[in-house]
Amino acid sequence: MGLGAAALAPGALAAPTAAPVLVLNSLDGTVSVIDGRRWVELVRIPTGKEPHHLYMTPDERSVIVANAGSDSLTFIDPRTAIVQRTLRDILDPYHLRFSPDMRWFVTAANRLNHIDLYHWDGQQPHLARRIPTGRTPSHLWIDARSTTVWATMQDSHELVAIDLASQQLMHRVLTGPLPADVFVTPDERHLLLGLTGGSGVEVFELAAGQAPRRVGLVATGKGAHAFRALGDRRHVLVSNRVAGSISQIDTTRLAVVAEFPAPAGPDCMDVSADGSLIMVGSRWAGKLSLIDVAQRKLVHQVKVGKSPHGVWTLDHAPRV
């Protein structure tokens, strides 16, 4: 029941994946299930209104799709792409993350202007605190020690820090226009922030107990938006939605070292386990685009639903 492009010949791509690739279609309220060997769409699964992002449970038995418009979470088996269950009454879960210590589940309510902190018991999130924030909470990051949540405020142009121990908002820092995704470098010295309303990535210096301090800007491309580590603990990718490109940043030099073409509004990405293939949603074209890292070129596209956003596969490179 393939709905996408014609299947590729075996071995046509450098790094096929045995696990299905999941692509969230935000305007359709569906998830496209992609065969990661033949690169065809197998089926579209209805989940809820406005699925934007997804995240793996700590036990790796489920991928959680956050349906912002339906106030719900859909749990999907990452190996079979079978829907396991739907959890309702989670208000406006636009972005979501688990803390590295697996104790906290955090969501950003994009339309309702708050961050929700949940205790996680292995099966269910239990609301611990709802924290009012600036306008339009966008993306989240939780530090390696599970002490701090970093969150961007898209329409009030802020970066905020929330202390998990006290469940209090600690810092508010002004940023450039339309801040989106956040990435903390592996050495935890710097925080990178994509400026969708600008043409680059803001760099903030981090120091324990202090507000982050802006120390520079890495010029990438217009509409810098989403991050994805390449998997080598040194390089991170950022999608430039307006420029139609992906930039590779060396986090030790804080400089762009490679560029990749990525058509039609590139957004969220995943990277194959060996780091050779980038899978990115081309939101304006309704396609999943596949980019060969070594060749630095687009090698295939798969037709999916409207406004593809989150992308995920179990056979992925490390995410930090």
Side-chain angles (χ1 to χ4, degrees), residues 190-242:
H190 295 99
L191 181 148
L192 308 182
L193 189 154
L195 295 178
T196 304
S199 297
V201 169
E202 279 190 311
V203 180
F204 290 86
E205 187 176 70
L206 298 179
Q210 299 179 28
R213 182 172 66 92
R214 188 186 184 280
V215 293
L217 180 76
V218 179
T220 58
K222 195 170 183 180
H225 188 75
F227 292 107
R228 176 59 168 90
L230 193 56
D232 59 1
R233 293 192 61 81
R234 177 165 179 170
H235 296 96
V236 65
L237 306 169
V238 61
S239 56
N240 306 305
R241 189 187 287 177
V242 179

Side-chain angles (χ1 to χ4, degrees), residues 228-233 270-277 279 312-320:
R228 176 59 168 90
L230 193 56
D232 59 1
R233 293 192 61 81
D270 212 348
V271 177
S272 61
D274 65 357
S276 68
L277 190 71
M279 297 156 267
W312 190 282
T313 183
L314 190 63
D315 295 340
H316 59 74
R319 300 190 185 279
V320 292

Side-chain angles (χ1 to χ4, degrees), residues 13 19 35 59 65 81 135 156 189 211 218 240 245 261 272 277 286:
L13 289 178
D35 183 319
D59 61 10
V65 175
R135 298 197 309 276
S156 54
R189 292 180 55 199
V218 179
N240 306 305
S245 66
S272 61
L277 190 71

Side-chain angles (χ1 to χ4, degrees), residues 276-298:
S276 68
L277 190 71
I278 302 168
M279 297 156 267
V280 58
S282 292
R283 293 194 71 171
W284 303 336
K287 294 179 180 179
L288 175 70
S289 295
L290 308 177
I291 297 168
D292 185 292
V293 172
Q295 298 182 67
R296 298 189 188 182
K297 72 176 185 179
L298 177 72

